[in-house]
Amino acid sequence: MKDLCKKIIGFALIFCLAACLLAVCGSSDTDRQTSVSSAEAELSVEPEAAADDGANTDAESEESGSEEAAFEEKVAAKLAALTLEEKVAQMFVITPEALTGVGTATRAGSATQAAIENYPVGGLVYMADNLQNPDQTEEMLANTMSYSQDALELPIFLAVDEEGGTVARVASNSAFGVTDVGDMCEIGASGDSKAAYETGRTIGAYLSELGFNVDFAPVADVLTNSENTVVKYRSFGSDAGLVSGMVAQEVAGLEEENVLACIKHFPGHGATGGDTHDSAVAVYKTLEELYEAELIPFADQIEEGISMIMVGHFSLPEVTGDDTPCSLSSVIVTDLLRGELGYDGVVITDALNMSAVSDIYSSAEAAVKAVEAGADLLLMPEDFQSAYNGLLDAVNSGSITEERIDESVTRILRVKMQMDSYVE
């Protein structure tokens, strides 16, 4: 009897153990099925989420493309409304003296208004003698802007060379009571890129308050010739990477204050041994050598979308094959700057009254050659009237097409029609 009981109890224990094992296995299968089902559900949702993200990106891209297309239509409409004479005038940036014929311009009144109506130039550049004090400067620039708006319903570039230190038209005058940020060589030597940004903010703030909207700065030249005296103190230094970073920061600072930066002097004045203000200057570097240093800050800024680049007057015989100043060379402006580096912003020449140009070419010849080379803005020809008429005659005779003029004016309008002072 005892043996029978033991067998019954044994069978019972085995049965219970088997039942427990089955329950656990069943539960695991259910959990696995639930887990698989959840995973499948998640996977089935992910493509929808990805599709939503893709749709959002496509929508944003379409909206951006639509806005860009609408803006280009406005630019084209504005271009179509301009006469040939007005378009040619827009390609000049000159001094107020060259515009009005006065000795030293310190105010803008009826003479300036009449001159802008006759020659609605793209911009005016001011020297230290034009700038006496804040009130006088603000009134002069505000009036000039108003006259331009009345003439063409377009803002005018109101420009100045305000680099700081060696070149400071405003800060060098104590009447303005502003801080002179000093030479860029000192900021470059500090290695502090934040200082370059603050330099841009400081200069931009007082220029903007006075009414300027363009600063022909910063200098983007890499000082590769230690004997160079032209940009020795104006350059951030001899290290291309450091110069590029400093230039980027100063540009950002200027534009934070709504002042358009114009970097200079493409393709790099740092290797010169002479001054193009005084005579013709040649640099015997190959294109490969330029890519190793001089071109780096310019190429980097082109990637960042810089609006304006100034081209220098020194020559590069090893690149162009002759002694043509870079500013008048299609090899430099069209092939290198536009072609290889992909720049489609505004190209402005250095001052065309400098000896490197004016000793060799007449004002009319220089203007025509600069446009043929690919320049958009012609800065300070020795004789504005001659340069203006020479360019107009070149178009009327067919040696320069009106389509070529339209290319440049379109670039100018793109910049102007995005400025705060542009009123639709």
Side-chain angles (χ1 to χ4, degrees):
M1 187 71 177
K2 288 180 180 179
D3 291 338
L4 179 61
C5 288
K6 287 179 180 179
K7 288 180 180 179
I8 292 171
I9 291 171
F11 286 132
L13 288 172
I14 291 169
F15 177 78
C16 289
L17 181 61
C20 288
L21 288 171
L22 287 171
V24 170
C25 291
S27 174
S28 297
D29 288 342
T30 302
D31 288 345
R32 279 196 298 272
Q33 289 173 354
T34 302
S35 177
V36 169
S37 297
S38 295
E40 288 174 345
E42 288 175 6
L43 286 172
S44 67
V45 171
E46 283 178 2
E48 294 178 8
D52 288 343
D53 290 343
N56 290 337
T57 302
D58 290 343
E60 290 172 2
S61 178
E62 287 177 11
E63 183 178 354
S64 175
S66 177
E67 290 176 357
E68 185 176 343
F71 176 70
E72 288 297 324
E73 286 179 8
K74 291 180 181 178
V75 170
K78 189 65 183 177
L79 178 71
L82 299 177
T83 66
L84 174 61
E85 290 77 11
E86 288 168 341
K87 289 187 288 189
V88 168
Q90 279 291 298
M91 295 176 68
F92 286 89
V93 176
I94 60 177
T95 65
E97 290 81 8
L99 178 68
T100 61
V102 302
T104 299
T106 56
R107 61 186 296 272
S110 57
T112 301
Q113 184 174 22
I116 287 177
E117 287 175 356
N118 289 329
Y119 299 100
V121 292
L124 291 177
V125 58
Y126 296 84
M127 304 299 161
D129 288 346
N130 303 124
L131 314 173
Q132 297 177 326
N133 58 65
D135 290 342
Q136 167 266 335
T137 301
E138 287 176 30
E139 182 180 359
M140 178 175 64
L141 297 185
N143 286 351
T144 303
M145 179 61 76
S146 176
Y147 301 149
S148 177
Q149 298 278 18
D150 290 343
L152 288 185
E153 296 183 344
L154 279 174
I156 185 171
F157 291 135
L158 298 172
V160 67
D161 283 285
E162 192 73 8
E163 301 170 13
T166 307
V167 180
R169 315 296 191 208
V170 177
S172 61
N173 185 343
S174 60
F176 288 92
V178 300
T179 301
D180 187 345
V181 297
D183 288 314
M184 296 306 102
C185 66
E186 297 175 1
I187 294 173
S190 75
D192 183 4
S193 61
K194 184 178 179 182
Y197 174 75
E198 292 303 328
T199 290
R201 286 292 303 272
T202 298
I203 294 174
Y206 67 72
L207 290 186
S208 180
E209 187 173 346
L210 291 169
F212 290 104
N213 53 30
V214 176
D215 187 8
F216 291 142
V219 169
D221 304 320
V222 181
L223 192 64
T224 54
N225 177 8
S226 60
E227 302 300 315
N228 184 310
T229 58
V230 179
V231 296
K232 180 176 182 179
Y233 301 106
R234 301 159 63 194
S235 166
F236 285 109
S238 59
D239 181 281
L242 179 142
V243 171
S244 183
M246 294 284 181
V247 166
Q249 288 299 311
E250 185 174 352
V251 167
L254 284 166
E255 297 190 345
E256 182 72 19
E257 299 295 336
N258 294 314
V259 173
L260 188 70
C262 173
I263 60 173
K264 58 188 183 183
H265 309 81
F266 185 86
H269 215 311
T272 59
D275 190 341
T276 51
H277 285 88
D278 304 324
S279 63
V281 175
V283 173
Y284 294 93
K285 282 199 168 190
T286 65
L287 185 57
E288 291 72 21
E289 289 173 320
L290 293 175
Y291 268 113
E292 291 173 1
E294 281 85 355
L295 290 175
I296 290 173
F298 294 99
D300 289 347
Q301 276 302 293
I302 289 169
E303 287 291 323
E304 294 297 319
I306 190 73
S307 296
M308 190 180 294
I309 294 178
M310 181 181 290
V311 183
H313 295 321
F314 53 94
S315 63
L316 289 166
E318 297 298 319
V319 179
T320 64
D322 57 34
D323 292 325
T324 303
C326 290
S327 55
L328 310 184
S329 170
S330 62
V331 174
I332 298 301
V333 180
T334 296
D335 298 346
L336 178 57
L337 181 54
R338 297 273 191 221
E340 290 193 33
L341 297 180
Y343 185 60
D344 195 33
V346 173
V347 172
I348 183 170
T349 68
D350 204 345
L352 292 169
N353 62 358
M354 291 164 63
S355 293
V357 171
S358 62
D359 284 354
I360 303 170
Y361 307 94
S362 70
S363 295
E365 288 171 339
V368 170
K369 285 187 70 67
V371 173
E372 288 176 337
D376 304 308
L377 286 173
L378 311 176
L379 178 63
M380 294 171 58
E382 189 172 43
D383 182 336
F384 164 60
Q385 293 287 341
S386 175
Y388 170 82
N389 289 325
L391 184 54
L392 194 58
D393 288 345
V395 179
N396 287 327
S397 69
S399 60
I400 291 179
T401 66
E402 188 167 354
E403 287 73 21
R404 169 65 193 88
I405 300 298
D406 288 348
E407 289 175 10
S408 285
V409 179
T410 295
R411 295 188 187 103
I412 295 166
L413 291 177
R414 283 186 188 129
V415 175
K416 288 190 171 188
M417 291 174 69
Q418 294 182 79
M419 296 171 72
D420 288 346
S421 50
Y422 175 69
V423 180
E424 293 191 49

